[in-house]
Amino acid sequence: MNFDAYARTAVDLVNAELGDLAGLRALFADEQAWMRDEVVEKDVAMFRRAQRRLREVFEYGTSGRDADAVKELNSLLEIFPVQPRISGHDAGDWHMHVTSRGSSVSAEYLAGAVWGLSVWLCEYGSARFGICADERCGNVYLDTSSNNCRRFCSERCATRSHVAAHRARKRAELAGSASLREAVAL
């Protein structure tokens, strides 16, 4: 069972734009294509509520509030219980899923996301939950770095943030040089 993939579905959900049904449909990856076809308008509200609560888990984790993260995940596990099942087509393809097929799209997706994030917390700790340090972003991520030093959700955000900081330093240097020239000229 690939718990990391389930944990990443939680990240994908928290970072998703869920303004409408089309936004929710965009959330489902290729292996979840059937969900795209079965999701309905009433699922949007369920996914939005879960999205807010999962964001809180990341916020608790990044601020060192492990007990709060665990409490929230346990509450979500009660709402979206795990119902394991074996899936596949032949002996070479058997694998586990965390909910039974035939459940609603929200039950299937959210049970997997909550379960994966819960397993991730137990295995790596909530210190591995991250919120992008680029103040224009706010996306969440799972820190898979070897020394738990990741600060950005992507290379794009890291580059954008570093370039902005570099430009701010250069502006400050130029302003300082101009002030010094003015003082010398007096």
Side-chain angles (χ1 to χ4, degrees):
M1 194 168 205
N2 187 348
F3 295 117
D4 287 355
Y6 279 114
R8 281 190 296 278
T9 62
V11 170
D12 293 343
L13 173 57
V14 174
N15 294 337
E17 294 290 330
L18 297 180
D20 56 14
L21 187 57
L24 178 55
R25 285 188 172 132
L27 173 65
F28 304 117
D30 292 335
E31 63 274 0
Q32 301 159 327
W34 68 270
M35 291 182 177
R36 228 178 279 136
D37 299 332
E38 293 185 23
V39 73
V40 294
E41 189 67 44
K42 72 178 183 178
D43 288 317
V44 175
M46 176 71 76
F47 273 84
R48 281 186 193 144
R49 282 192 298 276
Q51 181 184 49
R52 282 190 300 275
R53 293 185 70 181
L54 287 170
R55 177 170 286 284
E56 287 177 353
V57 170
F58 277 87
E59 290 169 357
Y60 293 146
T62 58
S63 63
R65 297 169 58 194
D66 289 2
D68 291 327
V70 167
K71 182 179 177 184
E72 186 65 23
L73 283 170
N74 279 333
S75 175
L76 286 165
L77 284 168
E78 287 179 28
I79 297 168
F80 305 106
V82 174
Q83 301 169 352
R85 70 177 171 91
I86 299 171
S87 182
H89 303 289
D90 57 48
D93 187 34
W94 299 128
H95 57 279
M96 293 295 295
H97 284 269
V98 297
T99 58
S100 49
R101 190 70 160 84
S103 300
S104 69
V105 170
S106 56
E108 175 111 9
Y109 187 95
L110 297 172
V114 172
W115 176 253
L117 201 54
S118 299
V119 170
W120 181 276
L121 182 139
C122 292
E123 183 142 345
Y124 303 108
S126 69
R128 293 288 183 153
F129 294 172
I131 299 175
C132 189
D134 184 342
E135 54 197 40
R136 294 167 285 187
C137 179
N139 280 346
V140 301
Y141 60 88
L142 297 169
D143 187 348
T144 58
S145 66
S146 60
N147 58 356
N148 195 24
C149 65
R150 188 170 168 187
R151 295 181 41 233
F152 300 95
C153 69
S154 66
E155 287 295 321
R156 180 176 176 251
C157 281
T159 300
R160 184 173 57 199
S161 184
H162 292 130
V163 167
H166 173 76
R167 289 177 179 161
R169 284 191 304 275
K170 288 297 183 187
R171 279 192 303 274
E173 286 175 18
L174 289 174
S177 295
S179 296
L180 182 60
R181 281 192 302 272
E182 288 174 11
V184 171
L186 293 173

